[in-house]
């Protein structure tokens, strides 16, 4: 469903620093206040939350100039201004390494997450809480510390597989969604599953480091998919774990 003027008006009432920017979009400064506790982001933490050392150490209150709006397949989110680029320059990173593209649109969620919790089915307020503020918290955290609060995913197909490997208790739906994305992405993507990922091999992200020291979740993701398919949970995808030419 598309966002109506009433939907956007409700977002502005909840976040008064935002204003209508165009048909189906809003922009302005958006604040984020958060802390990590038990490895999870807590937005607007209470004093009880902040009594924990982890929450105190990861507490951030910040704001970014943003624009977001309804689109398909998923709403867009832009972080405006040069701040993210300046952060990337400071740490010797590319802009895309901070999950922001050259047109200032962002990659604010893994495809599997977006499929499981489609932002197109959310109101603007729900979208802000579920995707926008967590993304801004992560940017502010990286700006201060040079690493991500809940780790970083590799780009491209390897990142899809790594997302699965970093999920603590992946469901059958998580595994199947990942397989469907990989299978639909072409033969180069499928090659990730046709060979076993071993700790000593170079990481597919291109860093030159061994997988064990770079993106270990990638190996766990490959192992999870190969085992799941081999056990017969998705017989029609068995060809994905067979070597080329089999």
């Amino acid at each position: 469903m598309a966002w109506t003027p009433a939907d956007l008006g409700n977002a502005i009432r909840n976040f008064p620093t935002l204003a209508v920017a165009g048909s189906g979009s809003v922009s302005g400064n958006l604040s984020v206040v958060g802390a990590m506790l038990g490895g999870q982001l807590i937005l607007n933490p209470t004093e009880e939350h902040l009594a924990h050392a982890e929450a105190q150490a990861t507490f951030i209150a910040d704001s970014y100039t943003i624009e977001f709006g309804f689109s398909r397949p998923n709403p867009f989110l832009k972080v405006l201004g040069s701040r993210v680029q300046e952060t990337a320059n400071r740490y010797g990173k590319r802009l895309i390494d901070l999950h922001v593209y050259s047109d200032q649109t962002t990659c604010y969620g893994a495809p599997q997450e977006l499929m499981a919790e489609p932002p197109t089915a959310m109101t603007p307020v729900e979208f802000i809480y579920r995707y926008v503020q967590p993304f801004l918290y992560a940017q502010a955290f990286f700006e201060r510390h040079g690493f991500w609060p809940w780790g970083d995913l590799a780009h491209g197909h390897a990142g899809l597989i790594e997302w699965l490997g970093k999920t603590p208790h992946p469901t059958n739906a998580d595994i199947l969604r990942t397989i469907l994305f990989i299978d639909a992405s072409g033969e180069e993507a499928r090659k990730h599953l046709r060979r076993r990922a071993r700790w000593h091999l170079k990481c597919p992200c291109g860093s030159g480091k061994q997988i064990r020291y770079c993106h270990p979740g990638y190996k766990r993701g490959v192992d999870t998919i190969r085992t799941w398919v081999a056990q017969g949970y998705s017989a029609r995808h068995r060809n994905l774990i067979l070597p080329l030419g089999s």
Side-chain angles (χ1 to χ4, degrees):
M1 60 178 183
W3 289 339
T4 66
D7 292 328
L8 299 180
N10 190 40
I12 292 169
R13 283 191 294 274
N14 279 268
F15 301 93
T17 54
L18 299 177
V20 173
S23 177
S25 66
V26 297
S27 66
N29 290 323
L30 182 67
S31 297
V32 59
V33 179
M36 300 294 291
L37 189 58
Q40 300 296 315
L41 172 62
I42 306 295
L43 291 173
N44 305 314
T46 64
E47 290 185 6
E48 183 178 350
H49 291 135
L50 295 175
H52 296 267
E54 178 191 4
Q56 292 178 24
T58 58
F59 176 79
I60 287 176
D62 210 330
S63 66
Y64 284 81
T65 303
I66 65 160
E67 179 183 354
F68 71 88
F70 191 90
S71 62
R72 292 188 182 278
N74 292 300
F76 71 87
L77 167 64
K78 292 184 178 182
V79 178
L80 306 179
S82 60
R83 181 173 170 182
V84 178
Q85 182 65 69
E86 290 168 359
T87 299
N89 294 343
R90 183 187 315 156
Y91 290 106
K93 301 287 187 178
R94 300 169 301 169
L95 190 61
I96 189 61
D97 293 328
L98 274 66
H99 308 287
V100 177
Y101 300 103
S102 59
D103 64 356
Q104 299 185 310
T105 57
T106 65
C107 178
Y108 55 79
Q112 297 98 316
E113 295 175 22
L114 301 180
M115 180 181 283
E117 299 183 74
T120 49
M122 299 177 178
T123 67
V125 172
E126 291 170 335
F127 179 63
I128 288 171
Y129 284 127
R130 176 62 184 87
Y131 288 111
V132 180
Q133 288 188 318
F135 183 85
L136 298 181
Y137 175 87
Q139 291 292 326
F141 189 97
F142 186 90
E143 182 179 281
R144 288 160 174 75
H145 303 291
F147 60 91
W148 300 101
W150 41 74
D152 186 24
L153 295 178
H155 297 302
H157 310 124
L160 295 176
I161 297 171
E162 187 189 6
W163 175 88
L164 180 66
K166 293 181 69 172
T167 300
H169 304 288
T171 64
N172 287 343
D174 291 330
I175 299 170
L176 183 57
R177 279 194 292 268
T178 304
I179 290 173
L180 292 175
F181 275 116
I182 295 298
D183 195 23
S185 296
E187 189 54 42
E188 283 303 308
R190 299 182 195 115
K191 287 179 181 178
H192 289 281
L193 304 180
R194 295 196 192 282
R195 54 178 178 266
R196 296 185 182 278
R198 303 187 185 279
W199 291 120
H200 68 279
L201 296 178
K202 288 186 177 180
C203 187
C205 77
S207 68
K209 300 178 182 177
Q210 292 181 353
I211 290 175
R212 76 176 81 225
Y213 300 122
C214 195
H215 288 96
Y218 170 80
K219 181 184 185 307
R220 298 188 191 101
V222 171
D223 291 347
T224 296
I225 292 173
R226 289 178 59 87
T227 299
W228 194 78
V229 173
Q231 290 175 344
Y233 285 100
S234 184
R236 68 190 181 94
H237 290 108
R238 186 169 178 79
N239 65 305
L240 290 180
I241 64 173
L242 298 176
L244 290 174
S246 297

